[in-house]
Amino acid sequence: MEIKLKNVGYTYHLNSPMAFTALKNITLTFPAHQLTAIIGKTGSGKSTLIKLLNGLEIPTSGEVVIGNQVIDKYTKSKQLNLVRKNVGMVFQFSENQLFSETVLKDVMFGPLNFGKSEQEAVELAKFWLAKVGIDKDLFEQAPFELSGGQMRRVALAGVLACEPKVLVLDEPGVGLDYVSNQNLMSLLKKLQSQFGLTIIMVTHSMENVAEFADHVVVMKNGAIVRQTKPIELFSTDDSKVELPEAAQFYLKLMKNHQIENELPINKTELINRLLKQFKPNGGTHE
Amino acid sequence: MLRKSKAYRISILALFIAIIIVQNFVPLFGYIPAGPLSLTTIHITVIIAAILLGPVDGGIVGGVWGILSFIRAFTAPTSPVQPLVFTNPIISILPRILIGVVAGYLFIGLTKTKLKPAISLAITAIFGSLTNAFLVLGMIAMFYRTPAVAHAYGVSDPSLIIKVLMTAVGTNSIPEMILAAVVVPIICLPLLKHSKIK
Amino acid sequence: MNNFIFGQYIPGKSLIYRLNPRLKLIASVLLIIASFINHNLLGFIILLGICGVIIQVSQVGWIFFIKGTQFFIYMIFLTSILQILFSNGGTIYWHYGIFTISSFGLQIASLAFLRFLVAIVILTVYLMTTNPAEIAQTIQGICYPLKFVGVNLDDIGLVTAIALRFMPTLTEEVNNLRNAQKSRGVNFEKCSIIKRIKSNIAILVPLFMSVFRRAEQLAATMILRGYTDGKHRTHIRQSNWSKFDSLILIVVLLIFGLILSLNINF
């Protein structure tokens, strides 16, 4: 499912002394079945933008088109439930939202709210818990007894069990160690191809963008500065964005060595490039 | 040990008071409107405070809720009954203090029995909720059988107030009690497990 | 819901912000008491006039102020309508079934409405223009007599300061949790009572879990920074009482006296 924003603006506390414009006239398309990353500094409007994508906030000007449903400032809150069914949202530190007595019940909460029967909800919950890699033995445990990484997976399953067509994630990997982050990101990538999910994620990790995103949107002061493919964003150093570590490393190398000046954006590419350039016999090595 | 320190007691007492304030001021959170009265979830905070910190601190947290309901009745009423009844501190403050005191002592007593912690917690929650319900509704029945209060409850005659209050027990007090009995064990069990109080 | 302002501090620089916080509390309480002892129309005109001046001087903006308090004013209005329709006595103007409009009812209802209106305006302005640290200090001041029954005043100050400091944090947390559960299909505004209660569990449980985590972190930090028993704390910010504060106090006392005399004469 595709999401389009047309001239969208958002102002907090409209008509008050605390009025604050978070988004200015944004026009943007999130293509279907792709993984789009949104990057930008704290306060650039990323979080506000994603709240518009599932009707948690209503734009104060312009319109958000989700599939064939249009949300603008006249939209009534009743109509938003369908939007929320189609667009699932995983919040930052999502492990903190678990509340039920057991893991299984927590995952069933969403489907039950969206009108599934008890039986269907159990099946959905079991299916998605398995997909995110939670062991059957843990289904009847209290969620508070799991590890942080496991709790985050349970929270993800809780959203997936509502069967959304679009999945929005706010910093999915924040606070996880390197391996857990890689596993989570590969899982998302797998879900994207297996179920045709459209994924939109806010992140501060340029490595995640370079390695996993199909599409990247750069935000600054409530506006879109660039939207392109990660390889185009990171392959030259125009100092507008922070580069992934692989590219930064290569850039330092370029200062002292005569090597190809297109930057590799992730680790695999970096290794391949180095192997090619620094062959023990010959190559460009002086 | 951290949980035994005075710093922890002060921090958690302060945070409980902050929760009470937030429950009073964030709409649809501490008070859920339901007819002429509103259901509350704030007694749960007081009961949990009493279980974790004892009857005195439970009473303090309850007292803060009472003072806020008292001020609220003058300045930010959520139902037509509040300005008429809760402007009396005996109804708005005293029962709330007693929730904490009753729940605190009851839980201490129950820990000496052989009951499972989950059961003790649920019993404490039930009696804590009942303290609030009986004192508030009982005092309204005793002191406020006036035409204005009757009308704020939507009945024509003060003699019908008792009937309304009995209905309120069914529509408000019992749901509040069940809510507490469900939520209190979910929240307290993991904590009691860690701190090894049984 | 976005315009809910009761109890919220809004940073500003107008005259009212610069008054001594204790004076502000004393003045607010005096004016509220004045409105509750008043039975006199002229008295209410004076009090409402003062409310108007206070809102104007506070510079928070009229539209914003009205939007923020309209829910409570509506509730009090509803209470007053009930009192009008159901109270009986004096001259009866209209009667239908159990409904009566009488002079007695109109009098009681309008008195109650005006009193609560004054109280709402004054308390809202007080909370909007007094920052949490100042409120904490004032509360500590009020609790001073408790010192003689063995309560540690510094602990009260500390507890109040921490509670007020975490109020906005917890409010934000409640909103985040509410958003998270909304995304899982909960509709908090339009649903049956049982569902509303259930959806509140989904906020309460995680909120408490996070409060316990925070309390532990906070306690550890306090201990690491040398907190032992809470004695001998000093305040960086000492509130000064200026000549202007005395002037305002005199004015408020005069108003209070005026309202009192208006009611004794009648």
Side-chain angles (χ1 to χ4, degrees):
Chain A
M1 192 181 266
E2 189 180 78
I3 298 186
K4 270 188 182 162
L5 281 75
K6 291 180 191 162
N7 307 326
V8 166
Y10 188 84
T11 304
Y12 283 100
H13 307 290
L14 205 62
N15 298 327
S16 89
M18 299 175 293
F20 167 72
T21 302
L23 297 177
K24 299 163 200 158
N25 200 23
I26 288 186
T27 299
L28 178 65
T29 303
F30 293 103
H33 316 304
Q34 295 217 356
L35 198 160
T36 307
I38 305 173
I39 59 176
K41 293 206 174 77
T42 310
S44 59
K46 303 181 303 277
S47 301
T48 310
L49 181 71
I50 59 172
K51 278 186 198 153
L52 292 170
L53 302 182
N54 81 341
L56 286 174
E57 302 285 359
I58 306 262
T60 43
S61 64
E63 56 183 48
V64 181
V65 186
I66 298 165
N68 45 23
Q69 203 178 359
V70 180
I71 302 180
D72 58 21
K73 61 180 169 185
Y74 305 107
T75 307
K76 296 269 180 305
S77 67
K78 271 184 206 163
Q79 297 160 285
L80 294 175
N81 233 27
L82 181 65
V83 174
R84 297 203 182 119
K85 162 105 191 54
N86 285 327
V87 183
M89 179 102 151
V90 180
F91 285 83
Q92 238 177 57
F93 296 107
S94 48
E95 60 271 30
N96 295 347
Q97 313 152 2
L98 305 178
F99 66 93
S100 298
E101 306 96 282
T102 70
V103 167
L104 195 67
K105 275 191 186 169
D106 211 290
V107 179
M108 284 164 63
F109 181 72
L112 287 175
N113 281 325
F114 285 117
K116 293 275 189 258
S117 72
E118 194 85 18
Q119 188 56 39
E120 288 169 313
V122 172
E123 274 162 26
L124 279 168
K126 285 185 176 163
F127 177 79
W128 288 106
L129 279 169
K131 276 280 169 236
V132 300
I134 295 290
D135 218 49
K136 268 198 186 107
D137 310 339
L138 301 176
F139 286 5
E140 292 305 322
Q141 276 202 30
F144 316 109
E145 287 163 1
L146 306 184
S147 75
Q150 285 173 324
M151 278 159 86
R152 198 170 288 189
R153 279 159 187 274
V154 172
L156 177 63
V159 174
L160 288 168
C162 304
E163 301 184 296
K165 301 195 171 66
V166 182
L167 188 63
V168 183
L169 304 105
D170 192 356
E171 299 220 35
V174 69
L176 293 182
D177 60 87
Y178 177 76
V179 176
S180 308
N181 174 64
Q182 288 308 95
N183 289 343
L184 183 68
M185 291 307 302
S186 329
L187 172 68
L188 289 175
K189 211 57 194 161
K190 212 169 86 190
L191 294 171
Q192 180 202 349
S193 59
Q194 202 173 348
F195 298 95
L197 271 177
T198 306
I199 298 183
I200 298 163
M201 79 177 180
V202 164
T203 182
H204 279 122
S205 154
M206 298 305 155
E207 285 68 42
N208 280 350
V209 178
E211 202 163 336
F212 299 102
D214 304 310
H215 205 71
V216 57
V217 173
V218 186
M219 291 189 73
K220 195 181 174 187
N221 298 330
I224 307 288
V225 205
R226 267 188 94 175
Q227 42 176 322
T228 175
K229 289 193 177 337
I231 183 134
E232 276 158 30
L233 183 68
F234 295 132
S235 58
T236 51
D237 175 37
D238 59 1
S239 303
K240 287 239 173 67
V241 292
E242 187 200 323
L243 292 173
E245 277 165 11
Q248 283 184 28
F249 173 79
Y250 194 84
L251 203 62
K252 275 187 190 154
L253 219 56
M254 257 168 58
K255 288 201 179 122
N256 301 322
H257 298 274
Q258 286 292 319
I259 45 177
E260 210 181 309
N261 62 5
E262 191 183 310
L263 299 173
I265 64 169
N266 60 36
K267 226 170 38 190
T268 327
E269 265 181 57
L270 175 69
I271 293 168
N272 289 340
R273 189 77 63 82
L274 291 181
L275 285 176
K276 199 173 79 189
Q277 308 251 342
F278 294 91
K279 273 180 195 154
N281 44 354
T284 46
H285 198 279
E286 57 256 82
Chain B
M1 203 185 127
L2 189 61
R3 279 169 200 265
K4 293 263 185 280
S5 70
K6 191 178 168 195
Y8 183 71
R9 222 201 81 178
I10 293 234
S11 315
I12 202 138
L13 181 63
L15 282 163
F16 269 97
I17 290 172
I19 296 182
I20 297 264
I21 301 174
V22 170
Q23 283 180 307
N24 266 282
F25 294 132
V26 174
L28 302 181
F29 178 42
Y31 291 102
I32 310 161
L37 285 171
S38 44
L39 286 176
T40 182
T41 57
I42 304 180
H43 60 300
I44 294 176
T45 312
V46 180
I47 294 168
I48 295 174
I51 289 170
L52 297 177
L53 304 170
V56 177
D57 289 6
I60 294 176
V61 174
V64 172
W65 177 23
I67 292 168
L68 288 174
S69 344
F70 177 64
I71 298 175
R72 217 193 145 88
F74 286 99
T75 54
T78 49
S79 81
V81 180
Q82 279 185 350
L84 298 171
V85 175
F86 284 92
T87 43
N88 179 346
I90 295 178
I91 291 194
S92 51
I93 301 181
L94 189 69
R96 274 72 200 264
I97 295 179
L98 288 174
I99 301 175
V101 176
V102 168
Y105 280 115
L106 184 63
F107 187 70
I108 291 175
L110 286 171
T111 48
K112 287 173 188 145
T113 64
K114 281 180 185 161
L115 287 172
K116 278 187 180 169
I119 311 272
S120 309
L121 289 168
I123 295 175
T124 310
I126 288 169
F127 281 92
S129 313
L130 288 180
T131 310
N132 183 40
F134 275 118
L135 287 176
V136 172
L137 297 176
M139 282 201 275
I140 293 176
M142 271 161 67
F143 305 124
Y144 280 89
R145 270 184 275 167
T146 64
V149 175
H151 301 137
Y153 276 121
V155 293
S156 57
D157 196 272
S159 61
L160 294 172
I161 287 185
I162 302 277
K163 225 176 180 177
V164 173
L165 293 176
M166 294 306 285
T167 324
V169 170
T171 56
N172 289 58
S173 310
I174 293 182
E176 281 171 10
M177 186 184 87
I178 296 174
L179 184 65
V182 173
V183 174
V184 170
I186 301 184
I187 294 174
C188 293
L189 267 183
L191 279 170
L192 294 181
K193 264 184 202 162
H194 288 300
S195 54
K196 304 241 187 297
I197 306 166
K198 272 191 184 152
Chain C
M1 289 303 160
N2 286 333
N3 294 310
F4 195 84
I5 56 162
F6 187 77
Q8 190 179 344
Y9 173 64
I10 296 160
K13 284 200 172 73
S14 68
L15 194 64
I16 294 196
Y17 287 87
R18 279 178 271 142
L19 291 176
N20 182 299
R22 286 184 196 173
L23 167 83
K24 264 196 276 187
L25 186 69
I26 296 169
S28 305
V29 170
L30 277 177
L31 289 173
I32 290 173
I33 294 176
S35 87
F36 273 81
I37 55 172
N38 184 39
H39 289 273
N40 182 291
L41 184 64
L42 182 61
F44 278 119
I45 294 174
I46 295 172
L47 286 169
L48 287 174
I50 292 167
C51 288
V53 172
I54 291 174
I55 298 174
Q56 183 64 38
V57 174
S58 71
Q59 291 174 6
V60 288
W62 281 88
I63 296 174
F64 178 63
F65 191 88
I66 291 167
K67 268 193 172 171
T69 48
Q70 63 186 5
F71 174 73
F72 307 120
I73 293 177
Y74 167 76
M75 268 300 158
I76 290 168
F77 188 69
L78 209 68
T79 316
S80 311
I81 296 287
L82 283 170
Q83 281 183 321
I84 291 180
L85 287 178
F86 292 106
S87 303
N88 216 326
T91 325
I92 290 170
Y93 303 114
W94 181 78
H95 183 83
Y96 180 82
I98 55 166
F99 304 109
T100 317
I101 294 183
S102 65
S103 60
F104 179 69
L106 282 174
Q107 205 184 345
I108 292 193
S110 45
L111 264 182
F113 181 74
L114 290 169
R115 280 175 183 164
F116 283 110
L117 186 64
V118 172
I120 287 178
V121 170
I122 303 236
L123 199 79
T124 308
V125 173
Y126 174 75
L127 290 173
M128 277 164 91
T129 61
T130 313
N131 81 42
E134 290 174 335
I135 294 182
Q137 237 179 308
T138 316
I139 290 176
Q140 201 179 347
I142 296 171
C143 295
Y144 190 77
L146 290 177
K147 196 179 175 182
F148 303 107
V149 287
V151 177
N152 185 340
L153 276 190
D154 288 321
D155 283 350
I156 293 183
L158 193 57
V159 166
T160 324
I162 296 174
L164 293 171
R165 149 72 185 78
F166 276 95
M167 239 178 74
T169 317
L170 293 183
T171 307
E172 201 190 315
E173 195 140 348
V174 170
N175 285 333
N176 287 343
L177 288 168
R178 198 175 264 185
N179 279 340
Q181 310 302 9
K182 266 189 194 168
S183 303
R184 292 212 267 165
V186 176
N187 192 338
F188 286 94
E189 279 135 48
K190 298 260 182 297
C191 62
S192 71
I193 292 175
I194 295 177
K195 269 206 169 155
R196 272 190 217 170
I197 296 174
K198 269 196 185 163
S199 48
N200 259 285
I201 299 183
I203 298 179
L204 273 177
V205 176
L207 181 72
F208 273 98
M209 295 302 170
S210 102
V211 157
F212 295 138
R213 267 196 307 276
R214 281 179 204 279
E216 251 172 58
Q217 289 165 359
L218 199 61
T221 319
M222 279 162 74
I223 292 169
L224 289 174
R225 294 203 193 165
Y227 171 90
T228 46
D229 59 357
K231 277 177 193 144
H232 318 299
R233 286 176 74 240
T234 50
H235 298 282
I236 297 173
R237 190 203 301 254
Q238 293 289 351
S239 52
N240 333 306
W241 189 281
S242 69
K243 277 183 189 161
F244 187 67
D245 289 315
S246 306
L247 182 71
I248 295 284
L249 182 62
I250 292 168
V251 172
V252 171
L253 282 173
L254 281 176
I255 295 165
F256 188 77
L258 179 67
I259 301 283
L260 204 63
S261 65
L262 276 174
N263 286 286
I264 290 169
N265 289 342
F266 274 83

